[in-house]
Amino acid sequence: KKQLLEHNFSNRISLCGFGEPTLHTEIIDFCNILSYGLSQIPGGKPFNPNDDIPNEPIAKKKWQLQKAAFEVQKFIDDYKASYGDATSPESKLGLYNLIQKIKSAFNNLIGPGVGLNDPDVRKQFPEVAIASNYIQNVLALFDRYGNITSANVSEVQKVLGYIDKVRAVCTTIVSL
């Protein structure tokens, strides 16, 4: 199947938003496709932030991670719907606020032994280790930019690219 996918979609896909697509005419977001597919498995059910928090400890931790990732996705989607890109001073201010929301949502989930770094969560869902590393790196990058409102267009585009990748990581977390 992998060879068939590589043959049919070579140079036309971006896996979960990581990496740069080489052909700009088609990009397939496999994270959303996989999320949909997993929700179609008998007994499987997609994450619903309105569901009650589970009582079982690992399920509760998973729900909390999914909820935070879901909120970050919503923050990003709201920004994109309101501003599209960050070429105006208002959109740069919106980008600054978005970065602050992302940092706030993840700060409590990336500490030692908690959230994405919780040993029980990592044992049950090993893929969160990659998500945790990426989120930590991006948050550190956001800190280096400081005040994005005075950044040039090239820097803003880089930050927007990282934000798109954060959304892809969030999609993976929501799909746990």
Side-chain angles (χ1 to χ4, degrees):
K1 289 182 180 179
K2 182 180 176 187
Q3 288 176 335
L4 180 61
L5 279 175
E6 288 174 352
H7 174 72
N8 289 336
F9 298 109
S10 64
N11 297 327
R12 295 168 47 190
I13 63 173
S14 174
L15 295 175
C16 298
F18 297 103
E20 296 296 322
T22 56
L23 184 65
H24 299 286
T25 57
E26 290 183 51
I27 298 175
I28 298 171
D29 186 347
F30 275 105
C31 289
N32 286 332
I33 293 170
L34 291 173
S35 177
Y36 172 78
L38 291 172
S39 70
Q40 302 305 307
I41 296 172
K45 111 181 189 185
F47 173 73
N48 182 348
N50 299 317
D51 285 350
D52 292 333
I53 300 173
N55 291 325
E56 196 270 317
I58 194 71
K60 182 177 182 177
K61 291 175 183 181
K62 174 186 164 191
W63 187 91
Q64 291 168 332
L65 290 174
Q66 289 174 308
K67 174 75 170 164
F70 180 84
E71 289 174 353
V72 169
Q73 282 180 313
K74 188 171 179 342
F75 297 151
I76 294 169
D77 292 345
D78 290 347
Y79 172 82
K80 296 277 185 170
S82 297
Y83 301 107
D85 60 14
T87 55
S88 71
E90 294 82 20
S91 61
K92 284 184 179 180
L93 180 59
L95 181 58
Y96 173 82
N97 291 330
L98 172 62
I99 289 170
Q100 299 311 309
K101 289 178 182 180
I102 292 170
K103 287 168 59 174
S104 177
F106 280 117
N107 275 336
N108 296 329
L109 299 176
I110 58 169
V114 298
L116 294 168
N117 296 319
D118 183 291
D120 295 331
V121 171
R122 283 191 173 208
K123 183 177 179 184
Q124 188 73 28
F125 309 102
E127 60 271 29
V128 300
I130 296 169
S132 175
N133 290 339
Y134 186 77
I135 295 296
Q136 288 178 53
N137 290 339
V138 168
L139 293 181
L141 177 100
F142 288 164
D143 286 339
R144 282 187 286 180
Y145 277 98
N147 189 357
I148 194 72
T149 60
S150 62
N152 65 40
V153 174
S154 174
E155 291 173 325
V156 168
Q157 293 305 318
K158 282 183 189 176
V159 170
L160 287 171
Y162 285 112
I163 287 173
D164 287 341
K165 293 172 185 173
V166 166
R167 190 184 187 294
V169 169
C170 289
T171 300
T172 302
I173 294 169
V174 169
S175 299
L176 291 177

